[in-house]
Amino acid sequence: MELSEVGEFGLIDLLRAKVGEPGEGEVWVGDDTAVLRAPAGTILFTTDLLVEHVHFDTAFIGPEDLGYKSIAVNISDVAAMGGVPRRAVVGLGVSPDLEVEWIEKLYAGMRECCDEFDMAVVGGDLSRSKELIISVALLGNPAGRLFVPRSGARVGDAVCVTGTLGASAAGLRLMREENKERLDLLKAHLRPTPRVRESQVLRKHLPTAMIDISDGFSVDLGHICESSDVGVVVEGGDLPLVDLTGVTVDESPLQLGLSGGEDYELCFTIPQDRCAAAMSAVTKATGTKVTRVGEIVESSRGRVLLVESGDTPLEAPGWDHLRV
Amino acid sequence: MELSEVGEFGLIDLLRAKVGEPGEGEVWVGDDTAVLRAPAGTILFTTDLLVEHVHFDTAFIGPEDLGYKSIAVNISDVAAMGGVPRRAVVGLGVSPDLEVEWIEKLYAGMRECCDEFDMAVVGGDLSRSKELIISVALLGNPAGRLFVPRSGARVGDAVCVTGTLGASAAGLRLMREENKERLDLLKAHLRPTPRVRESQVLRKHLPTAMIDISDGFSVDLGHICESSDVGVVVEGGDLPLVDLTGVTVDESPLQLGLSGGEDYELCFTIPQDRCAAAMSAVTKATGTKVTRVGEIVESSRGRVLLVESGDTPLEAPGWDHLRV
């Protein structure tokens, strides 16, 4: 059945059943706004806009994965602040000839991600649009009043990254070729795992700065440097790059790892003397590897320097939505 | 200068200056999420998605008005819950060949509306898109833990509405004809005033149900009836309809008032014995007229009945995004 047959309000009724039961004293779908109960203190508030043909192509990504990912990328921003996700609203722009079942699957995927991180979609808005639009806004809480900014990196801090760099970008390329040999890479692209658990362990070890890798490792690490007014030297050989054994991709693992983006791994800085304990605590609690990849230096040396043979200023571009 | 020349991050830097200074202990633009300080209690959370060619046409609405309106329509939802708006994030989908100046004006309009209601845009996300997309998510607070739901209307309650019905729809039609004779109607469409002040006075008089009129009076009043499981009889002759003296519009004031939508007036129900005091308190404090237009009846009589000559079930359609 097409959306035009059930109409906006029919669809809202259908989706209301998909989002789950409101908490005590809360109102979710069905009023002018959602009503939430919140503890006093600090709120984290973020939004991500996903647009068809820019962020995704429905020829390659199914509605469940797309729903999961649209929530996951927002959660990743909250994890990058050291927080836990709580409640989201979703603005959806759809074509009236889209199948109702497709939207139901999209919401099922969102729900799956929400359940995994103990959060919920509590409301939203629907509109017609030519391109499919998924706009998620998310509220989270840091533990206590503390959060981990981008701006706290200090000269001498170690620079670390969780997981693997470049897997999502490699997965994107395989997906477009409909190559299903490496499901691990496809999954890295279609269902990234936001690093909430890793962030919760890590924050107890007081990282000085943190960001999630969405636009690309070099660009995102550059954001930390710019916010903190420091530079960084990255040891190219130490980067936890995607293993491309057996698959053919135009770019090298290093290119994908530096510029690919959408890894949704955490990149953080931490004083050297707390680094080893933080790394092993994260791995012990979550199974996720953490790699030390460089060191924060004076900003006068440049922003992001890659060591391969001598200090080379890193020109690797990341994703810029308005320059592509 | 075009957006493609400054790039995503250049634009973010420009906009950071436009949104104002963060409150004590808050972080706005420039980290993974905004960081807000919040009192304990209840949070109102809402989102509205505005899409080019559906919600607006840039041939007719300028960036300042569009910015103002995109914030105002979200504030209106918070007012409809009896709350005050606090903080918003904005997801923006734009074409890279758009002028930077246009976006700066869009943000200036948003800021104007924010300043008027003591709130702020604290962050957002940017993407490329073919159609212009403005997605706003807004946090508000009710006064105390109380909010005014859609579901509290009781048989016998009076039904009231603030301001005028149909002015925005009439303004839309004049705007498309580039007819500037009635600036009041154009303003009703381009710069609707969300009824925050009216709502704050009204809530002390304990309305039982409330909604803002976005999709059209008949549809939105229908939402109150459905949520409250009641019906309503509306006196057609009592409706505060737009005065169309001297302008030619295809529809009658009654048609525009019932179905036009985008009035962003408040429609509320209240026990008869508190109605007169509530109405005069709102008008005295804000200058906004309030009109009693009908009465809540048993749901068995039907949902929305219009009295003109006998009870006529009201068929007037409002806006359904997926059925247009």
Side-chain angles (χ1 to χ4, degrees):
Chain A
M1 202 191 306
E2 292 187 359
L3 290 180
S4 58
E5 293 173 69
V6 299
E8 179 180 355
F9 304 112
L11 181 58
I12 291 172
D13 278 344
L14 270 176
L15 297 181
R16 189 197 303 241
K18 299 263 169 223
V19 299
E21 281 298 308
E24 168 90 29
E26 297 201 337
V27 177
W28 291 2
V29 181
D31 216 309
D32 296 293
T33 75
V35 179
L36 309 175
R37 298 293 183 209
T42 305
I43 292 176
L44 305 175
F45 191 16
T46 186
T47 189
D48 262 317
L49 182 64
L50 277 69
V51 180
E52 190 176 5
H53 307 307
V54 178
H55 296 85
F56 60 88
D57 187 331
T58 53
F60 298 118
I61 187 167
E64 295 93 340
D65 286 337
L66 183 57
Y68 186 98
K69 186 170 180 175
S70 64
I71 299 294
V73 301
N74 276 276
I75 292 180
S76 182
D77 280 319
V78 169
M81 299 295 277
V84 291
R86 300 279 303 155
R87 300 281 186 261
V89 289
V90 176
L92 209 56
V94 291
S95 168
D97 61 6
L98 196 67
E99 291 290 317
V100 172
E101 195 188 4
W102 194 94
I103 296 283
E104 290 184 305
K105 286 180 178 169
L106 182 81
Y107 268 74
M110 288 185 189
R111 179 72 187 272
E112 204 179 322
C113 187
C114 284
D115 286 350
E116 207 170 301
F117 292 95
D118 194 21
M119 56 161 287
V121 170
V122 299
D125 189 34
L126 287 167
S127 172
R128 260 185 311 143
S129 65
K130 283 182 200 143
E131 299 172 296
L132 186 60
I133 301 162
I134 306 173
S135 175
V136 177
L138 176 58
L139 292 178
N141 289 120
R145 290 168 69 93
L146 282 179
F147 61 92
V148 186
R150 293 180 180 177
S151 58
R154 296 292 169 260
V155 173
D157 282 356
V159 177
C160 300
V161 64
T162 62
T164 301
L165 298 176
S168 173
L172 172 64
R173 283 149 181 81
L174 295 182
M175 186 183 78
R176 286 182 178 153
E177 293 167 8
E178 303 192 41
N179 178 337
K180 296 185 180 166
E181 281 169 55
R182 286 286 301 273
L183 291 179
D184 60 322
L185 300 180
L186 291 176
K187 181 177 175 299
H189 183 72
L190 296 171
R191 293 226 173 195
T193 303
R195 299 304 196 182
V196 176
R197 287 172 274 265
E198 292 76 4
S199 166
Q200 287 303 297
V201 176
L202 193 55
R203 53 170 287 283
K204 293 175 191 148
H205 295 265
L206 305 178
T208 49
M210 187 150 63
I211 196 168
D212 70 316
I213 298 168
S214 53
D215 295 321
F217 176 75
S218 61
V219 167
D220 290 315
L221 181 52
H223 290 320
I224 285 186
C225 291
E226 202 174 326
S227 295
S228 304
D229 193 21
V230 295
V232 64
V233 175
V234 174
E235 304 281 342
D238 289 346
L239 289 169
L241 299 174
V242 56
D243 175 7
L244 293 182
T245 311
V247 290
T248 311
V249 170
D250 285 345
E251 295 94 334
S252 69
L254 183 65
Q255 285 173 314
L256 294 177
L258 293 174
S259 312
E262 292 213 289
D263 287 312
Y264 300 106
E265 297 293 351
L266 296 174
C267 176
F268 62 93
T269 62
I270 191 165
Q272 302 281 357
D273 59 0
R274 294 203 298 269
C275 184
M279 289 170 68
S280 68
V282 169
T283 303
K284 193 175 166 197
T286 68
T288 302
K289 72 175 173 183
V290 183
T291 311
R292 192 188 310 215
V293 298
E295 185 179 330
I296 296 294
V297 298
E298 297 281 354
S299 62
S300 56
R301 287 182 60 187
R303 279 290 183 238
V304 184
L305 307 169
L306 182 67
V307 179
E308 286 192 279
S309 49
D311 287 7
T312 316
L314 184 55
E315 299 285 351
W319 185 260
D320 186 313
H321 270 291
L322 302 178
R323 286 203 160 125
V324 180
Chain B
M1 204 190 307
E2 291 186 359
L3 291 181
S4 57
E5 293 173 67
V6 298
E8 180 180 355
F9 304 112
L11 182 59
I12 291 171
D13 278 343
L14 270 176
L15 297 181
R16 189 199 304 242
K18 300 261 170 223
V19 300
E21 280 299 306
E24 168 89 29
E26 299 201 335
V27 177
W28 291 4
V29 179
D31 215 310
D32 297 294
T33 75
V35 180
L36 309 175
R37 299 292 183 208
T42 305
I43 291 176
L44 306 174
F45 191 16
T46 185
T47 190
D48 262 316
L49 181 64
L50 277 70
V51 180
E52 190 177 4
H53 306 307
V54 178
H55 296 86
F56 60 88
D57 187 331
T58 52
F60 298 118
I61 187 167
E64 295 93 341
D65 286 338
L66 183 57
Y68 186 98
K69 187 170 179 175
S70 64
I71 298 293
V73 302
N74 277 276
I75 292 180
S76 182
D77 279 318
V78 169
M81 299 296 276
V84 291
R86 301 279 303 155
R87 299 283 187 258
V89 289
V90 175
L92 209 57
V94 291
S95 168
D97 61 7
L98 197 65
E99 292 290 317
V100 172
E101 194 188 6
W102 194 94
I103 297 283
E104 290 184 304
K105 286 180 177 170
L106 182 82
Y107 268 73
M110 288 184 188
R111 180 73 187 272
E112 203 179 323
C113 187
C114 285
D115 286 350
E116 207 171 303
F117 292 96
D118 194 21
M119 57 163 285
V121 169
V122 299
D125 189 34
L126 286 167
S127 172
R128 260 185 314 144
S129 65
K130 283 184 201 143
E131 300 172 297
L132 185 60
I133 302 163
I134 306 172
S135 176
V136 177
L138 176 58
L139 292 178
N141 290 120
R145 291 169 67 94
L146 282 178
F147 61 92
V148 187
R150 292 181 179 177
S151 58
R154 296 292 169 262
V155 173
D157 282 357
V159 177
C160 300
V161 66
T162 61
T164 301
L165 298 176
S168 172
L172 173 64
R173 283 149 181 81
L174 295 183
M175 185 184 77
R176 285 181 178 154
E177 294 168 9
E178 304 192 42
N179 178 337
K180 296 184 180 168
E181 281 170 56
R182 286 286 300 274
L183 291 178
D184 60 321
L185 300 180
L186 291 177
K187 182 178 174 300
H189 183 71
L190 296 172
R191 292 226 171 194
T193 304
R195 299 303 197 183
V196 176
R197 287 172 273 265
E198 292 76 2
S199 166
Q200 286 303 296
V201 176
L202 193 55
R203 52 169 289 282
K204 295 176 191 148
H205 295 265
L206 305 177
T208 49
M210 187 149 64
I211 194 168
D212 70 316
I213 298 168
S214 52
D215 294 322
F217 176 75
S218 62
V219 167
D220 291 315
L221 181 53
H223 289 320
I224 285 186
C225 291
E226 202 175 324
S227 294
S228 304
D229 194 21
V230 295
V232 65
V233 176
V234 174
E235 303 281 341
D238 289 346
L239 290 170
L241 299 175
V242 57
D243 175 7
L244 292 182
T245 310
V247 290
T248 311
V249 170
D250 285 346
E251 295 95 333
S252 69
L254 184 65
Q255 285 172 313
L256 294 178
L258 292 174
S259 311
E262 291 213 290
D263 288 312
Y264 300 107
E265 298 293 350
L266 295 174
C267 175
F268 62 93
T269 63
I270 190 166
Q272 301 281 357
D273 59 0
R274 295 203 298 269
C275 185
M279 289 170 67
S280 67
V282 170
T283 304
K284 193 175 165 197
T286 67
T288 302
K289 73 176 172 182
V290 184
T291 311
R292 190 188 310 216
V293 298
E295 185 179 330
I296 296 295
V297 299
E298 297 281 354
S299 61
S300 56
R301 288 181 61 187
R303 279 291 183 237
V304 184
L305 307 169
L306 181 67
V307 179
E308 284 193 279
S309 48
D311 288 6
T312 315
L314 185 55
E315 298 285 352
W319 185 261
D320 186 313
H321 270 291
L322 302 177
R323 286 203 161 124
V324 181

